[in-house]
Amino acid sequence: MADIQAIAQQFTNFYYQTFDAAGKDRSALASLYRDNSMMTWEGSQLMGTQAIIEKINSLPFEQVQHRVSMIDAQPSSATVASLIVLVTGHLIVDGNADQPMPYSQMFQLVPDNGSYYVQNDVFRLVLG
């Protein structure tokens, strides 16, 4: 298997750069999901590319910046070159750098035609 930490880093960079640069239209992230992909966003479960992108596009903020603190990656199957990626960090929403919001997001990445897609995606704000 390729270096999973490098794959996790590359995926995370691409995902958040695309998410953050898109403003209110994050449809470019659709290529990372499939019809069997699942997302849990703050307890709300969604399935399929269309539902996931609709959720991401419906988020109430105009601008967001993900500040990644840590990326952990592990292989998730002994037979398929899939991996689990756990990201922790802070969100800066609408330029409000004085109140960063801690978050964690987990991705399960599955190989597909020389690349990876997101099979599972779980996002949570970490509020105390």
Side-chain angles (χ1 to χ4, degrees):
M1 177 183 285
D3 180 2
I4 62 170
Q5 195 63 38
I7 294 167
Q9 182 72 51
Q10 185 178 33
F11 168 81
T12 302
N13 289 345
F14 177 80
Y15 186 91
Y16 291 134
Q17 286 171 3
T18 303
F19 192 108
D20 295 356
K24 290 286 283 179
D25 183 8
R26 299 178 179 94
S27 299
L29 294 171
S31 66
L32 298 176
Y33 295 94
R34 301 292 180 269
D35 288 339
N36 65 336
S37 296
M38 292 193 68
M39 172 186 268
T40 301
W41 186 278
E42 289 291 304
S44 175
Q45 292 192 337
L46 308 150
M47 183 166 188
T49 304
Q50 182 177 346
I52 292 168
I53 296 305
E54 285 175 5
K55 177 62 177 177
I56 291 171
N57 280 334
S58 74
L59 297 173
F61 42 78
E62 295 292 324
Q63 295 177 323
V64 66
Q65 180 185 17
H66 290 81
R67 291 192 179 161
V68 173
S69 300
M70 186 73 61
I71 300 171
D72 293 305
Q74 297 180 355
S76 62
S77 171
T79 58
V80 178
S82 58
L83 60 146
I84 293 175
V85 179
L86 176 64
V87 182
T88 57
H90 290 84
L91 297 177
I92 307 299
V93 175
D94 292 330
N96 194 354
D98 293 338
Q99 295 181 336
M101 295 184 290
Y103 77 95
S104 67
Q105 190 163 12
M106 184 281 304
F107 301 97
Q108 181 179 23
L109 305 180
V110 176
D112 183 37
N113 294 323
S115 188
Y116 287 86
Y117 76 92
V118 179
Q119 173 67 49
N120 300 91
D121 180 349
V122 179
F123 176 89
R124 283 282 183 179
L125 291 173
V126 183
L127 305 174

